Amino acid sequence: MSTASPSFNTIRDMLRLAVTRFNQAGVFFGHGSSNAFDEAAYLILSSLSLPLDKLDPFLDARLTPEETARIHMLIDRRVSERIPAAYLTNEAWLQGYRFYVDKRVIIPRSFIAELIMEQFAPWVENPEETANILELCTGSGCLAIMMADAFPHAAIDAVDLSADALDVARINVEEYRLENRVTLIQSDLYEALPGKKYDLIVTNPPYVNNTSMQKLPREYQHEPQMALAGGDDGMDLVRTIVAQAGQYLSDEGFLVVEIGNEAAHAEAAFPHLELTWISTSGGDDRVFLVDAAQLR
């Protein structure tokens, strides 16, 4: 009696295989998904151009040989090369927004995105009156695009030193048809900015300290290191951002800075400032705010 060789014919089969391989290989989840099941489901559904929020109706759908081969390839690359899923699919999701991404930019992930959805309440009292916003270190342009939605009458200047990153941001700005409201500027922080004042300056800059950089999982090595590394204490760029922000803020304006796990270093770097820590899903020490009066 012959025994048939094992085969993977359905989405359910491929999902089980992917979860097993991800768990056995110990891949790191930190670029959108938080566990092997969600990551596997996302990769499979995305590769098949199926709705990302509707797995159950398709679980027992039979796959063509070409579809099976493509999914196998994605699983293999995720495991062997440790490439984050977003780079394999060239898309990332943040607060319901879809963005194009590739290795020219870090994968969108920011606690500031949550604050944008709330229009930075209670600090912004009248979102309709917010006229000018600056985002430093824009990367893919994700936060600038979200702020254009949240503040319908605001013009957003989105700055990055990397021309490659701005090329990706341009793809996203055009996708959302915001060319008339989001201006992309290549600049080393404030250096190339026009002489105007902003009601709000927002930044998710490189802030990972040197010790932490050496311990990052392999997945992070695929991202532009200049978008992650923040020097000995992670505050190299943050110091410059804070030191010069007062010159660019309107009288009632304020600066919002994301610093990840570097709260202790931020407090040490700015002992003369009373940093306001904003609660996010990541905790009460990931994002701080400083108003223009303090910065001057």
Side-chain angles (χ1 to χ4, degrees):
M1 185 177 71
S2 63
T3 303
S5 61
S7 60
F8 299 90
N9 298 318
T10 67
I11 289 177
R12 188 187 301 274
D13 293 333
M14 298 305 296
L15 182 66
R16 200 282 303 161
L17 174 68
V19 171
T20 296
R21 291 200 59 193
F22 292 166
N23 283 332
Q24 288 178 342
V27 299
F28 180 81
F29 307 107
H31 294 94
S33 303
S34 61
N35 59 78
F37 181 88
D38 288 347
E39 185 106 329
Y42 166 72
L43 274 177
I44 293 168
L45 292 171
S46 178
S47 74
L48 298 172
S49 299
L50 293 174
L52 299 180
D53 59 347
K54 289 183 172 62
L55 174 63
D56 287 351
F58 301 104
L59 275 172
D60 295 311
R62 296 180 67 84
L63 300 168
T64 67
E66 293 78 12
E67 290 171 336
T68 302
R70 184 164 65 249
I71 295 170
H72 271 297
M73 179 271 292
L74 290 172
I75 296 171
D76 286 343
R77 296 195 71 193
R78 183 68 184 90
V79 169
S80 62
E81 300 177 54
R82 290 297 199 273
I83 299 174
Y87 287 152
L88 293 172
T89 62
N90 291 124
E91 70 174 12
W93 293 82
L94 191 61
Q95 295 293 328
Y97 288 77
R98 179 194 177 277
F99 300 104
Y100 172 84
V101 295
D102 59 35
K103 290 186 180 182
R104 292 175 290 180
V105 295
I106 63 170
I107 296 165
R109 53 188 184 276
S110 175
F111 296 114
I112 291 176
E114 302 170 17
L115 307 177
I116 294 172
M117 301 300 286
E118 299 171 355
Q119 297 175 304
F120 293 101
W123 295 278
V124 174
E125 295 181 0
N126 298 299
E128 299 281 333
E129 297 178 6
T130 300
N132 293 295
I133 299 174
L134 171 65
E135 188 204 357
L136 299 172
C137 309
T138 191
S140 63
C142 57
L143 297 184
I145 289 167
M146 293 177 65
M147 287 189 289
D149 260 3
F151 300 94
H153 301 298
I156 294 93
D157 287 343
V159 170
D160 207 289
L161 179 60
S162 168
D164 283 342
L166 291 174
D167 285 342
V168 174
R170 191 166 294 107
I171 293 171
N172 288 315
V173 169
E174 291 175 356
E175 177 69 22
Y176 281 93
R177 299 181 181 179
L178 288 168
E179 299 95 324
N180 293 331
R181 298 201 38 225
V182 177
T183 301
L184 301 175
I185 302 171
Q186 185 175 8
S187 177
D188 188 355
L189 299 179
Y190 303 100
E191 285 187 3
L193 288 181
K196 69 179 182 183
K197 302 290 186 180
Y198 297 93
D199 303 307
L200 174 63
I201 299 176
V202 172
T203 184
N204 182 16
Y207 55 66
V208 183
N209 68 68
N210 284 345
T211 299
S212 296
M213 282 292 296
Q214 296 170 15
K215 299 177 181 178
L216 288 177
R218 282 177 58 194
E219 280 80 355
Y220 289 96
Q221 296 172 17
H222 292 279
E223 297 186 291
Q225 298 303 283
M226 68 176 288
L228 296 172
D232 286 343
D233 62 354
M235 294 295 110
D236 282 5
L237 266 71
V238 179
R239 285 188 179 86
T240 302
I241 289 168
V242 171
Q244 298 181 28
Q247 304 171 42
Y248 296 91
L249 282 170
S250 60
D251 290 342
E252 302 300 321
F254 56 88
L255 168 70
V256 176
V257 183
E258 182 165 339
I259 47 77
N261 296 315
E262 307 292 345
H265 286 141
E267 292 279 10
F270 310 110
H272 58 296
L273 295 176
E274 185 177 340
L275 305 181
T276 298
W277 293 96
I278 306 175
S279 294
T280 69
S281 62
D284 299 333
D285 58 355
R286 303 300 178 95
V287 179
F288 70 77
L289 176 149
V290 192
D291 62 37
Q294 282 199 75
L295 291 167
R296 291 171 184 165

